[in-house]
């Protein structure tokens, strides 16, 4: 027995990447840049099987997984100048994967007993929640000055996320 129970799992990460490339030549030039971010984090709260908890006032269980990818206004910047030039740039960010989600989870296992009693004057509080928050931006910038140029730019943001309460 406890007066109140508060369990919090909060995981927060700030990630970003940047690449710059410039090339200048008389006849032929090329420039390129590549960045890749893989964010595979999870935040999990587990109440074990057969747990027996009685709180007089409140039970609060919270799981949050948060990712920010927005430090740089431009992630890749490349440019070249020549009679013939080529540029390639790619910025790829994967937040979670199909088989490994970016995850926030509260798992209350079998036969666990969680009771918030309260009283006639003050209701008991029972709050269980999970949040997966993703804030991401990506930008590539390509410049080329030439008589003939071949250029390719790719920006990819892909998220597989899940927030769940499993009872």
């Amino acid at each position: 027995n406890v007066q109140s129970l508060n369990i919090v799992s909060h995981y927060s990460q700030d990630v970003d990447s940047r690449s710059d490339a410039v090339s200048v030549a008389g006849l032929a030039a090329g420039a390129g840049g590549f960045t890749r971010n893989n964010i595979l984090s999870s935040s999990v709260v587990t109440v074990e099987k057969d747990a027996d908890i009685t709180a007089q006032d409140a039970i609060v269980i919270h799981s949050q997984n948060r990712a920010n990818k927005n430090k740089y206004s431009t992630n890749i910047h490349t440019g070249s100048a020549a009679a013939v030039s080529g540029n390639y740039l790619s910025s790829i960010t994967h937040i979670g994967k199909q088989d490994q989600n970016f995850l926030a989870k509260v798992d209350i296992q079998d036969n666990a007993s969680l009771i918030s009693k309260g009283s006639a004057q003050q209701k008991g509080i029972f709050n269980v929640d999970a949040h997966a928050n993703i804030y991401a931006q990506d930008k590539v910038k390509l410049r080329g000055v030439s008589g003939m140029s071949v250029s390719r730019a790719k920006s990819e943001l892909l998220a597989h996320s899940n927030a769940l309460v499993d009872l």
Side-chain angles (χ1 to χ4, degrees):
N1 286 340
V2 296
Q3 190 67 37
S4 60
L5 176 70
N6 189 16
I7 302 172
V8 175
S9 174
H10 179 86
Y11 192 79
S12 182
Q13 59 261 312
D14 292 319
V15 300
D16 214 345
S17 56
R18 186 171 79 183
S19 174
D20 294 317
V22 176
S23 175
V24 178
L27 182 58
F34 178 80
T35 66
R36 183 173 187 110
N37 300 291
N38 291 310
I39 304 164
L40 304 173
S41 61
S42 61
S43 172
V44 179
V45 174
T46 301
V47 177
E48 294 289 332
K49 176 181 158 185
D50 298 319
D52 187 8
I53 300 167
T54 300
Q56 297 304 313
D57 297 330
I59 294 177
V60 177
I61 303 172
H62 174 75
S63 176
Q64 181 178 23
N65 193 4
R66 185 171 186 259
N68 289 316
K69 185 201 174 295
N70 60 359
K71 181 177 180 179
Y72 301 114
S73 61
T74 301
N75 295 93
I76 298 182
H77 178 238
T78 188
S80 63
V84 177
S85 70
N87 296 295
Y88 176 78
L89 46 136
S90 175
S91 176
I92 298 171
T93 299
H94 291 175
I95 302 171
K97 300 187 301 187
Q98 282 186 323
D99 62 340
Q100 185 180 354
N101 285 335
F102 179 84
L103 178 67
K105 179 180 181 181
V106 175
D107 183 16
I108 300 175
Q109 296 183 344
D110 292 342
N111 298 319
S113 173
L114 302 171
I115 299 171
S116 177
K117 283 186 166 186
S119 66
Q121 294 78 28
Q122 183 173 336
K123 295 178 183 176
I125 296 170
F126 187 84
N127 184 4
V128 179
D129 62 2
H131 302 271
N133 305 105
I134 299 168
Y135 307 95
Q137 68 178 19
D138 201 75
K139 181 179 178 183
V140 296
K141 192 173 191 179
L142 169 62
R143 293 182 184 179
V145 177
S146 68
M148 185 177 110
S149 178
V150 176
S151 299
R152 180 171 185 227
K154 176 182 180 179
S155 173
E156 177 179 288
L157 283 170
L158 180 62
H160 294 279
S161 64
N162 200 357
L164 62 106
V165 174
D166 191 5
L167 303 171

